[in-house]
Amino acid sequence: MSYLRRIIAYLFRDELTIKHKLVNVILGSALVVQLPGIIVTFIVGTTTAGIWAQVLMAAIIGTVLYLTNRFPDSPVPPILVSTLANLLVFPVMYFVCGGYATGIVIWMLFGSIFTWLLCDIKWSVIISIISFVLITGCLHIEKNYPQYVTFLETRNDEIMDTSMAFVFVTIIFGLIFKYQTHSYEKQADALKENDEKLRKLNDELAEANERLESASAAKSTFLANMSHEIRTPINAVLGMDEMILRECNDKQILEYANDIDSAGHQLLSLVNDILDFSKIESGKMELHPVEYELFSVMNDCYNMIFMRAKRKELHFSIRNNPEIPAFLFGDEVRIRQIIMNLLTNAVKYTKDGSVTLKFDYKKTDEENIDLIISVKDTGIGISEENKKYLFDSFKRIDERANRNIEGTGLGLSITKKFTEMMGGSIEVESVLYEGSTFTVTIPQKVADFSPVGHFDDRLNHRNDKLVKEEKESEAGKNDSFIAPHARILVVDDVKMNLNVVRLLLKNTQIQIDLAASGDECLKYTLLKRYDLILMDHMMPIMDGIEALHRVREQADGLNIETPVVALTANALVGAQEMYLEEGFAAYISKPVKSVDLEECLVRLLPKDKIEMVE
Ligand code: ADP
């Protein structure tokens, strides 16, 4: 019994496919019914050849059953058993076991159907056609040459043989179909179970996604807050420092103040880098294409880097193709940022020699060019193996050699991302200890094809003009306007920031009130009529946006229509649009630059209260 169970377990082992298990069902049951078949054949008294044919059939089935389990991946055993049974054994049995009056016809029918269950379509068709020809042939031979058929002895024997064949074939087919139904049901259950598992997994994924989304939203909020929190004190430091630089005459203190200024700006650019990087990562970075003058980009980059290079005794120059169109259309701010990142690196990583910024272009069609910007230095260079890490975020190469050079490893990765956002590309050529050349190619629309001219010629011309203007003005420290009759209110929860604005505007003689909260602002706006309100955004209890709305809705308020300017450290993308939509008249980002502040006041204060200073 246990032997039989082992055989059954072996024939239905898990690694077999359903089709294979089906082959085992068919062959196994065909083999099992052979034994009573032989006994019946014996009882009904057929010829010895008839019995032998049946024994041969059992042997064939047994061998194929063995082979098919020994070589489960081979298609040969089913084809072999089908061919031998249908084309050899059944026709022989037809003649030696009693012809069409016996069960052989049922067996032949079983053989044909059995082929379709076991073989692929091609073999099934071939074997069935041949079987059909053979069975028709057998019937015809029996009709025309009955002497070739060994008939059973009595009509009773024939009936018994036919009945047995009917019973056996029915049992075999019954088993086959039962097994198939059972397999399909099992499969359907497994599918259902899998479905259930998938549904659960999906639910879990959706939940995880939700958690991720809220984590990402929390990250954005954290960044916005961090941007505000860090920029606010930097604003105070830089603003106060600017006052020292403006008002102090002590050389030593001016030197300290200059150091504060440079470290403060460095810190600011670090915060900006981290913010830019996070914005790019979260897909919130947008491009803002505008029409711009290429010379002004060149000039600003020159001014910003010239002193830095000079301090390290590096020779800095700009070379350009004079034919580049003078006015282009693109994201000027990001292009400046790209150039400045490359120039800052070039100066940082060069001990002696020179840094050269080159501009060239290639016309791509009637309206567009590829702007080609390259920054070449004679610095420490980059080894071949390190080149592949250059644009990785937070990756600084040669950490040990560069440990004295400040940096986060973000500049080049941001530069590459900006370049790619604009549809451009960046390349680097470098020889260790000899120097590097970074080349950026950015497609730009042309706003005006008139040529930009030689940068050096235009720079000299402009410098001459500036020297002349400087000589004409008193010391260059004076503010551009005064407005002694104008009255403004500055609202900020950080006292230092209030002072910064007050001091920055000291020379304009504007009357300034300071409010340290939204609540305090609402008290002032009931008492005095202002020409302008400068309002911080992030304040505890009542933020700047709420304060603005409350000023607008104040019953008996004196400032329902007074322009309110958002003065805030929130420098995230879309901030400006958001403030204008909320009803602010303008937006100034912290740290406040006196030029921005003055430009805004000149634009928004009543014209009759402003006196421009020549
Ligand atoms: P970092 O803030 O460290 O300068 P970057 O992303 O700008 O970050 O640069 C990544 C690394 O690439 C730097 O740490 C430096 O090793 C190398 N690198 C960048 N520019 C140059 C250059 N002009 N010459 C040599 N090495 C450079």
Side-chain angles (χ1 to χ4, degrees), residues 342 345-346 348-349 377 380-382 390 395-398 402 406-413 436 438:
L342 296 179
N345 276 351
K348 260 194 328 194
Y349 297 105
D377 65 57
I380 58 170
I382 302 148
L390 263 187
K395 178 103 186 161
R396 304 198 69 212
I397 53 184
D398 267 336
N402 293 340
E406 280 151 9
T408 50
L410 273 181
L412 282 182
S413 118
S436 319
F438 286 81

Side-chain angles (χ1 to χ4, degrees), residues 366-386:
E366 283 318 301
E367 288 180 354
N368 296 286
I369 60 161
D370 273 345
L371 184 61
I372 304 165
I373 304 162
S374 70
V375 174
K376 186 175 188 311
D377 65 57
T378 55
I380 58 170
I382 302 148
S383 66
E384 260 329 295
E385 63 178 305
N386 277 336

Side-chain angles (χ1 to χ4, degrees), residues 198-211:
L198 269 178
R199 216 176 43 78
K200 257 196 195 154
L201 210 67
N202 253 350
D203 288 351
E204 275 168 28
L205 272 178
E207 224 172 82
N209 211 15
E210 229 168 73
R211 274 203 302 271

